[in-house]
Amino acid sequence: MRKNYKRLLAAAGGLAAAAAIAAAPIAAASAAPVASGTEHFQIMTTSATANKADVITFGLFTAAGVDIQGQKVDTFRLPGGSFKVAHSNGTGSQRFNPATCLLQLSLHGTYTVGHGTGRYARISGHGTYQLSIVGLGAKVHGRCSQSAPPIAFQQVIDASGPVRL
């Protein structure tokens, strides 16, 4: 069981990273004046195995794109450019009910944004994220499995913090 939780936590950490990436704002064009403000990111996926998730950003700028998740650094690809989101592994709680196969995970952590391209070439910032996962594990030979991919999975990451473009 712990082996499966570690996998789910690792996936959650990647997702959290994705959420953190989503929280980073887009940088303005090089010739534009510096802008600063709070940027919010929401990342969502229903796949426990994919390394991509949808991201919506709003605040200083508004955009929708893709969070390409990594172990420690995610890449947010948005119209007009991209930027990196480095995130902590996060801390929190996880529960798995072996009778119902229900998995619940809640993590919070920090992130920084930078290394932008295009409209986001000068982006910098930091913030906090909250990651929430609810899943339903598969049954293998009549028992809840933590090693098989879940049959249902929902992950949401909310992140926000100050950014400069």
Side-chain angles (χ1 to χ4, degrees):
M1 284 187 174
R2 289 195 183 272
K3 184 176 182 181
N4 288 332
Y5 279 116
K6 287 181 182 179
R7 286 182 183 171
L8 288 173
L9 270 179
L15 290 175
I21 293 176
I26 300 176
S30 308
V34 173
S36 62
T38 300
E39 190 65 18
H40 303 270
F41 303 91
Q42 183 163 343
I43 301 166
M44 184 178 155
T45 186
T46 57
S47 173
T49 58
N51 72 339
K52 292 181 182 178
D54 294 329
V55 60
I56 295 175
T57 69
F58 59 96
L60 186 59
F61 61 92
T62 300
V66 176
D67 171 16
I68 301 165
Q69 302 164 351
Q71 292 285 32
K72 301 261 182 206
V73 179
D74 290 4
T75 300
F76 284 13
R77 288 194 180 158
L78 304 170
S82 66
F83 56 92
K84 303 282 185 183
V85 179
H87 54 89
S88 66
N89 288 335
T91 59
S93 63
Q94 64 177 355
R95 289 184 284 255
F96 182 76
N97 184 325
T100 64
C101 302
L102 181 67
L103 166 70
Q104 296 173 291
L105 181 73
S106 178
L107 298 176
H108 58 88
T110 60
Y111 69 88
T112 60
V113 298
H115 304 284
T117 66
R119 294 180 58 198
Y120 312 101
R122 294 186 182 182
I123 194 167
S124 65
H126 60 88
T128 60
Y129 70 86
Q130 175 69 41
L131 174 140
S132 176
I133 293 176
V134 176
L136 186 57
K139 287 194 174 188
V140 176
H141 305 297
R143 295 185 168 208
C144 296
S145 171
Q146 291 185 48
S147 59
I151 60 171
F153 182 87
Q154 296 177 341
Q155 176 185 273
V156 176
I157 299 169
D158 286 309
S160 64
V163 297
R164 289 175 53 105
L165 293 178

